[in-house]
Each structure stands twice: as structure tokens, then as C-alpha cells.
């Protein structure tokens, strides 16, 4: 398929472009580089052995997107078979300070994108949603049927609202096929060490913080709370290797090809690990110490969240192949080869 990847220079997007190209798809990337670097796409090119066509464009820019569509369209003015839509701002913390920026970027951006796509004959989309739409899950493992919960920040709200917006668009026009993928917690990097996660400033997420402690950039890890109702008191999450997550998108294209209408899948491993288990796995996998201190709970965190991944297994043939040791090894390989990112 000919696929438009928005946000394709970012963490999950760049890994997905690799898997798409390696599975024979033709890819064009659109990204405004607000949280990434064009060098990521050069690295992707190195991995797959060909240059990735790239447009530096903001998804809120209708004229810019239309220009790109014109350049990519065939005689029938069809530009793409499917759009995999990663572009968005993604920090829950930051979104509490900058709600307007988050609603504008994520919601306005998606509305403009969808409108331009349909004008150029593309009514197929795979959307990056998040386990955060479940809020504090009523039961674990979380199935797709679990009711959506109260999101504790504007970022989560944008994902939840966009799921509804895309559902309404599909309901009104059955020509649309839309797959909502609810990611659990992606970790790790490509085995080559050429691409990986590159947060600017102080990392919010656990693994980039751990690797920055390990590489000597930060003194110690803050473990947010050890009094949760979990086996060792620290928060439990479903960490999934970013390459597995990327492969999940290749699998989701099959649902699009089968004209799924609207489909929702969790992408996770189904196994939860506590913060201290991740620290231990990292130390054992890499032979590096990660000093830590226990701090207060972080506002908005839930005790436990892990997926029931059975639906994606059953319907898409998606199974995570990598375990927590692979994730820790690959995250460290990336960080130590690229201490300052790209
Ligand atoms: P990322 O920040 O690395 O990638 C997002 C990319 O989108 C960046 O390259 C950024 O420059 C680009 N972008 C942002 N706004 C844009 C705009 N208006 N126009 C064009 N490009 C724009 O983030 P990621 O971790 O790769 O996440 C990808 C998607 O997956 C996001 O939608 C995110 O919300 C979602 N998601 C991420 C996680 C996670 O833990 N990383 C979990 C669940 C869902
Ligand atoms: C994991 C665990 C923390 C950092 C967030 C978003 C979610 C999704 C994924 C985008 C928790 C603990 C963390 C640290 C710590 N992103 N922790 N010290 O919060 O599950 O999910 O990223 O969609 O929407 O909310 O991931 O990596 O921040 O935290 O102890 O320095 O690690 O308390 O238990 P989270 P995380």
C-alpha cells in the first residue's frame, strides 16, 4: 500500500516506517519536526537501504497538506491508500500547562488532516490512541470492552475525544475504515541502535529517565511511590517493545484491507512489570547500576495498568515477540551510542 505516515520522524513513527518499508509498503512521511529531527529519517533510510520521501509540514496547515497531496497524487487525484497518524503532542504533564496548544495541535490537526485526506480519495486511517483513554482501569487486564475512564490530563482527553470524532466520521460515512490502536507503554529502540527515543528536556517517562541515569546525565531515578496496592508497592505497567508496536501497525493494515469499518485494538504484551522490576531487568540486562530514591506518588498516576492483548492476537495475528530484557538492552544500546540523541 501507499501510506502517508504523519509524525513519521518521531519515536514510534520512525520504527513503524522501518517495518512498513521492510514489508513492501511505499511510505511518505509528513512531520513538522516539532519534537523530532530529520536525521531520524536519514537513519531509517540507512536501515532499510532507501531514502524515505519526507515533507516538513504541519498537519494543521491545510494548504501545505494539500500541496503535498497534489505532489503525491495519481491521475485520479488519489494520493494514498492509507494514513497512519502519529503526529501529535504527547506529554500528559506538559498538557496540563498548555491545554490550548494540545487541543489545537492534536484535535485541530486531526480534523484538518482527515478533511484533506478524504478530498484526495483516502478514507483509511490507523490512529495512535493510548491506554490513557481507560483512565484508572476498573479491571485488569484491560480489554477493549472496558469502559473508557476519566482522563486526568488534557493530553489523554485529546486521545479520547479523537477516538469519538473518528468513530462519528466512520459512522456517518461507511467508506471510511478506521483502526484505533491503544498503545500501552512503548520501550526500547531498533536493534541497530540507529533510532530510538529522544526526549528533549527532563524525561517524563520511566525508561528514558533510567537510561539517562545509567549514562551519567542524571544522578538517580525518582521512583514515584512505593505504597501502591501492587506486589512491591510501585506502579505496574504493560511495557511493549517499540518494534513490536511498529509491527502492530503493519498487522493493522490487514484490517484496513479487509474493510473493517471501525476497529479498536489494544497493543500490549499482557504482562505487567513494576518500576522496581524494570530497574532490576535493566541492571541485569546491561550490567549497569541504576541508583534510585523513593519519592511521593506522581499526581495522575494509576497503580496498575496492563492489557488483555487477545483481540489483536485473534483478529490481526499480532503477538509481541520481545520481552522486558530485550527492551532494556535495546534502550541502553541506543542511549549509549547516542548519548545526546540525534
Ligand atoms: P513523538 O513526539 O516522538 O512523535 C510525534 C511526531 O509528531 C514528532 O515527530 C512531531 O514532530 C510530530 N508532530 C507533532 N505535532 C505535529 C503537527 N502538528 N504536524 C506535524 N507533525 C507533528 O511521539 P511518539 O512517542 O512517537 O508518539 C507517536 C504517537 O503515539 C502520538 O500521537 C502519541 O500521542 C501516541 N502515543 C505515544 C505513546 C508513548 O508512550 N510514546 C503512548 C500512547 C500513544
Ligand atoms: C511508568 C511508571 C510511574 C518516571 C505515560 C502516559 C501515557 C502514555 C505512556 C502517551 C509509572 C513510574 C516514571 C520516573 C517513575 N503516553 N515512573 N519515575 O505514566 O504509565 O504513561 O506514558 O500516550 O499516556 O501517561 O508511563 O513511563 O511515565 O511511567 O517511578 O521518573 O514509572 O510512576 O508507575 P505512564 P511512564
Amino acid at each position: 500500500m501507499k501510506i502517508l505516515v504523519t509524525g513519521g520522524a518521531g519515536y514510534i513513527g520512525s520504527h513503524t516506517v522501518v517495518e512498513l518499508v521492510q514489508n513492501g509498503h511505499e511510505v511518505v512521511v509528513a512531520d513538522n519536526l516539532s519534537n523530532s529531527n530529520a536525521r531520524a529519517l536519514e537513519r531509517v533510510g540507512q536501515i532499510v537501504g532507501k531514502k524515505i520521501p519526507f515533507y516538513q509540514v504541519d498537519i494543521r496547515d491545510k494548504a501545505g497538506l494539500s500541496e503535498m497531496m497534489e505532489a503525491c497524487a495519481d491521475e485520479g487525484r488519489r494520493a494514498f491508500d492509507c494514513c497512519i497518524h502519529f503526529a501529535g503532542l504527547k506529554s500528559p504533564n506538559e498538557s496540563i500547562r498548555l491545554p490550548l496548544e494540545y487541543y489545537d495541535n492534536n484535535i485541530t490537526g486531526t480534523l484538518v488532516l482527515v478533511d484533506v485526506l478524504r478530498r484526495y480519495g483516502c478514507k483509511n486511517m490507523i490512529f495512535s490512541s493510548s491506554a490513557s483513554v481507560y483512565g484508572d482501569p476498573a479491571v485488569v487486564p484491560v480489554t477493549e470492552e472496558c469502559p473508557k475512564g476519566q482522563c486526568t490530563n488534557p493530553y489523554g482527553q485529546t486521545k479520547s475525544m479523537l477516538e469519538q470524532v473518528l468513530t462519528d466520521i466512520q459512522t456517518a460515512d461507511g467508506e471510511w475504515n478506521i483502526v484505533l490502536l491503544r498503545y500501552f507503554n512503548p520501550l526500547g529502540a531498533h536493534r541497530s541502535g540507529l533510532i530510538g527515543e529522544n526526549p528533549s528536556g527532563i524525561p517524563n517517562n520511566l525508561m528514558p529517565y533510567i537510561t539517562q541515569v545509567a549514562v551519567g546525565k542524571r544522578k538517580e531515578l525518582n521512583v514515584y511511590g512505593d505504597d501502591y496496592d501492587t506486589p512491591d508497592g510501585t506502579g505496574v505497567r504493560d511495557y511493549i517493545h517499540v518494534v513490536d508496536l511498529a509491527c502492530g501497525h503493519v498487522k493493522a493494515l490487514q484490517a484496513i484491507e479487509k474493510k473493517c469499518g471501525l476497529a479498536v485494538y489494544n497493543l500490549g504484551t499482557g504482562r505487567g512489570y513494576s518500576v522496581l522490576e524494570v530497574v532490576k531487568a535493566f541492571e541485569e540486562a546491561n550490567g549497569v547500576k541504576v541508583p534510585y530514591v523513593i519519592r511521593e506518588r506522581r499526581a495522575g498516576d494509576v497503580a496498575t495498568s496492563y492489557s488483555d492483548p487477545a483481540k489483536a492476537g485473534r483478529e490481526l495475528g499480532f503477538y509481541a515477540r520481545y520481552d522486558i530484557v530485550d527492551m532494556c538492552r535495546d534502550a541502553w544500546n541506543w542511549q549509549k551510542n547516542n548519548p545526546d540523541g540525534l
Side-chain angles (χ1 to χ4, degrees), residues 46-75:
Q46 238 173 292
I47 296 169
V48 300
K50 64 165 120 168
K51 198 169 179 325
I52 307 299
F54 168 58
Y55 290 83
Q56 183 169 351
V57 62
D58 193 298
I59 56 166
R60 290 164 296 179
D61 173 6
K62 195 172 250 187
L65 278 185
S66 303
E67 222 173 278
M68 176 188 71
M69 295 286 176
E70 287 290 344
C72 296
D74 60 18
E75 294 96 64

Side-chain angles (χ1 to χ4, degrees), residues 91-315:
S91 162
N93 249 349
E94 187 183 57
S95 76
I96 295 169
R97 278 192 296 114
L98 302 173
L100 181 55
E101 283 74 7
Y102 270 70
Y103 287 116
D104 179 45
N105 196 86
N106 294 5
I107 302 221
T108 310
T110 302
L111 297 180
V112 171
L113 173 69
V114 166
D115 185 35
V116 174
L117 282 171
R118 76 172 168 182
R119 285 199 287 116
Y120 285 86
C122 177
K123 293 187 177 178
N124 293 317
M125 176 178 274
I126 297 175
F127 175 66
S128 297
S129 188
S130 169
S132 54
V133 301
Y134 294 115
D136 193 354
V139 281
V140 284
V142 186
T143 69
E144 291 80 355
E145 281 67 48
C146 283
K148 295 208 297 188
Q150 185 58 43
C151 296
T152 50
N153 56 73
Y155 164 74
Q157 297 282 11
T158 69
K159 291 295 172 190
S160 191
M161 288 178 191
L162 284 169
E163 284 199 353
Q164 189 62 52
V165 167
L166 293 171
T167 301
D168 293 344
I169 287 170
Q170 199 284 327
T171 305
D173 177 356
E175 282 182 14
W176 276 94
N177 298 293
I178 297 180
V179 180
L180 308 175
L181 295 180
R182 294 175 177 160
Y183 312 153
F184 282 70
N185 294 51
L187 289 194
H190 193 262
R191 197 70 188 264
S192 62
L194 288 170
I195 52 173
E197 192 171 11
N198 188 19
S200 48
I202 302 171
N204 280 306
N205 293 117
L206 179 62
M207 186 50 79
Y209 209 105
I210 289 181
T211 58
Q212 291 199 6
V213 171
V215 86
K217 276 189 165 182
R218 302 195 186 274
K219 187 160 139 263
E220 60 207 1
L221 171 72
N222 301 306
V223 173
Y224 298 130
D226 68 348
D227 56 352
Y228 285 107
D229 183 16
T230 61
D232 65 17
T234 65
V236 169
R237 297 290 183 276
D238 184 341
Y239 298 99
I240 175 169
H241 198 294
V242 67
V243 172
D244 276 327
L245 197 64
C247 292
H249 294 75
V250 179
K251 296 283 191 191
L253 285 173
Q254 294 168 7
I256 296 280
E257 271 178 324
K258 285 186 197 148
K259 304 209 177 300
C260 59
L262 184 89
V264 188
Y265 297 102
N266 287 336
L267 291 183
T269 67
R271 166 92 161 80
Y273 285 90
S274 74
V275 177
L276 294 182
E277 282 176 319
V278 175
V279 170
K280 188 156 170 273
F282 187 91
E283 292 183 331
E284 284 177 5
N286 299 313
V288 210
K289 282 307 265 181
V290 180
Y292 66 84
V293 283
I294 305 292
R295 304 274 186 208
E296 291 288 290
R297 291 181 180 196
R298 184 173 68 176
D301 273 357
V302 303
T304 302
S305 168
Y306 58 92
S307 70
D308 180 338
K311 187 180 178 204
R314 209 168 48 237
E315 296 185 13

